[in-house]
Amino acid sequence: YKGTDKGEARSFLGMSIERDRAARTITLGLESFTTRLVERFGMAGAPAKSVPLAAGTVLTKDGTPLETNLHHHSALVGSLNYLACYTRPDLSQAVWALSRFQSMPTTDHWAAALGVVSCLKGTAHLKLHLGGGSTKLLGYSDADWAGDVDSRLSTTGWVFLLGGAVISWSSKRQELVATSTAESEFTSLPRRRLCDEGLSVVSIGRILHCCLPVRHAITAACLAAGGACRSATYAGGLRFVCAVLA
């Protein structure tokens, strides 16, 4: 097949692409998609919120069932998930929390989802900025404790940054019930996915001949979990993860 060179890509599946070769940066955005989403769900005239899901918000399976034939909860959460996966890592925790109730949403879940849309109204211009900095790789993880009141499971969140740019992120529920905040933090660190993601980033850097620094870091927010990481008797598996990334 014959191809046609139309120059540098400016958009892809609705995603805007801005490239600055001098500064060695690429910026990805979904502003048009976000604006249409806000208008579609009738939040264009609503006041903008500063955060997707306020701290302390508790979502449970109990509540008044939502009339899904009138309120398209699944469509809204799916659209929010699209944003969270591509250009808006700040939505990950809120989208994950809402996704757990897709089969039987309640009016509270619908209100929380519209709250996320209200946040998008004031932040539709935000974009994912990549490159332009050093090649230092950092990984951060954090966890709550028994934040899911229905199952008493904790939630793990992690993010990888390369040169200060967010390149990989996730928010997931842990598989085991933690008995303390330290245990929930410690459990969040050695997750196989976290380890695999770090190794993948390092491998890609080597393939692209990107000079990554000799030492990388996965940082825990809890001092007790950090102490457990340094304990040869308690955290042998985790020490292996840190050794591989170092």
Side-chain angles (χ1 to χ4, degrees):
Y1 297 95
K2 292 183 179 181
T4 303
D5 185 359
K6 295 189 177 291
E8 292 189 355
R10 298 297 180 185
S11 64
F12 180 74
L13 297 178
M15 181 188 302
S16 64
I17 304 173
E18 302 171 15
R19 187 169 187 174
D20 187 335
R21 291 186 177 274
R24 300 178 64 85
T25 63
I26 293 180
T27 304
L28 308 176
L30 285 165
E31 184 173 358
S32 297
F33 177 86
T34 303
T35 302
R36 292 196 303 270
L37 180 65
V38 172
E39 295 174 351
R40 175 185 175 187
F41 288 94
M43 301 301 290
K49 294 178 58 177
S50 58
V51 293
L53 203 61
T57 301
V58 178
L59 299 177
T60 70
K61 60 183 179 182
D62 299 324
T64 305
L66 180 69
E67 295 185 25
T68 53
N69 59 325
L70 298 177
H71 306 291
H72 304 294
H73 182 270
S74 296
L76 174 53
V77 175
S79 297
L80 295 175
N81 187 54
Y82 178 73
L83 286 171
C85 287
Y86 287 98
T87 63
R88 295 296 300 268
D90 56 314
L91 302 180
S92 295
Q93 189 276 331
V95 172
W96 170 85
L98 293 168
S99 297
R100 292 187 291 118
F101 306 101
Q102 287 283 64
S103 60
M104 296 184 64
T106 67
T107 53
D108 291 336
H109 304 147
W110 179 248
L114 291 181
V116 179
V117 179
S118 295
C119 176
L120 291 177
K121 178 190 174 183
T123 59
H125 63 284
L126 295 183
K127 301 178 180 180
L128 190 63
H129 188 73
L130 304 172
S134 67
T135 55
K136 185 177 182 181
L137 172 65
L138 289 174
Y140 295 91
S141 74
D142 199 1
D144 66 359
W145 180 38
D148 186 345
V149 298
D150 295 320
S151 64
R152 308 313 298 176
L153 292 172
S154 304
T155 301
T156 290
W158 52 260
V159 61
F160 277 94
L161 299 92
L162 184 61
V166 178
I167 58 174
S168 183
W169 58 89
S170 179
S171 177
K172 295 183 178 180
R173 191 167 53 181
Q174 295 180 4
E175 298 174 359
L176 302 175
V177 176
T179 58
S180 66
T181 55
E183 186 175 339
S184 68
E185 292 277 2
F186 177 76
T187 302
S188 72
L189 281 171
R191 289 182 61 88
R192 175 168 182 161
R193 176 61 175 165
L194 180 62
C195 178
D196 289 347
E197 198 70 22
L199 295 177
S200 297
V201 171
V202 173
S203 298
I204 291 173
R206 290 171 179 167
I207 293 173
L208 298 177
H209 304 289
C210 176
C211 184
L212 293 173
V214 176
R215 182 169 297 277
H216 311 280
I218 294 180
T219 304
C222 178
L223 293 178
C229 295
R230 294 186 290 270
S231 171
T233 58
Y234 184 58
L238 181 59
R239 288 170 65 85
F240 166 74
V241 173
C242 295
V244 170
L245 291 177

